[in-house]
Amino acid sequence: MPLIAMRSVVDAAVVDAAVDSDWLGWAVVLGPAATLCAGAIAGAVAYAAIAQRRRADAKAEWWRRTQWALDEVLTGAPERRRVGVAVLYRLAESELATPDDLEVFDAAWGLLLGVGGPVASAAPAPSATETTAARGRVLTDRRRGRATPEWVERIAAGSAALEGADERV
């Protein structure tokens, strides 16, 4: 058989196979659906990446504010210390505060309240800063599932009595 005749037989067989299997019809139907699925998957991945980036940015800003508040607590100036403690308390309430972050807050509350707490009979009335620090300790203990010492709860409960009291810290 001549080469040209052989080629026409092979081409005819390919065309017959394509028409008989109907795969081309399915490819035409499923092609747009596959493109749509690929686009949806790419969109979901992009959305997840953007959401993760926004959360990371929010956490970075939260930590910058925490550092600022800790600096204010450590300055020693009473007004700045009071503002720093109030900001720390609000930051401890945030959902961005992880259990490890709450350890940092506990260290700050301990610094402000003293490690063992005041001696009940000899301790002067707690300052507004100490009361806020005690409230912060109660908050972080509750979020971490820990028991708060009674002396800290007493200081935290005394916040209403301290309204208008002079600041000692």
Side-chain angles (χ1 to χ4, degrees):
M1 195 187 248
L3 186 61
I4 294 178
M6 238 163 113
R7 184 173 174 134
S8 348
V9 171
V10 171
D11 288 342
V14 169
V15 170
D16 287 340
V19 171
D20 289 339
S21 67
D22 202 27
W23 69 270
L24 190 57
W26 282 106
V28 169
V29 171
L30 294 179
T35 303
L36 180 64
C37 287
I41 290 170
V45 169
Y47 178 78
I50 290 170
Q52 188 276 335
R53 177 64 187 182
R54 290 180 77 190
R55 180 144 175 93
D57 289 347
K59 179 68 177 188
E61 182 62 22
W62 177 90
W63 185 247
R64 189 187 65 74
R65 291 177 182 149
T66 301
Q67 289 175 318
W68 175 86
L70 288 169
D71 287 344
E72 295 303 306
V73 167
L74 297 174
T75 61
E79 293 79 25
R80 295 180 73 166
R81 190 174 209 181
R82 189 176 13 205
V83 169
V85 170
V87 171
L88 278 180
Y89 181 81
R90 293 296 180 210
L91 291 168
E93 290 178 317
S94 171
E95 66 185 29
L96 296 172
T98 65
D100 290 338
D101 297 329
L102 295 176
E103 289 288 334
V104 173
F105 287 106
D106 273 350
W109 310 140
L111 173 72
L112 293 164
L113 295 172
V115 176
V119 177
S121 61
S127 67
T129 300
E130 291 168 331
T131 302
T132 305
R135 289 178 56 221
R137 171 73 187 270
V138 169
L139 172 72
T140 55
D141 283 348
R142 184 176 58 236
R143 287 193 62 193
R144 296 174 64 212
R146 286 191 329 193
T148 303
E150 182 192 336
W151 65 269
V152 174
E153 289 179 353
R154 279 196 318 265
I155 293 173
S159 62
L162 290 175
E163 290 179 6
D166 290 338
E167 179 64 30
R168 293 186 303 102
V169 178

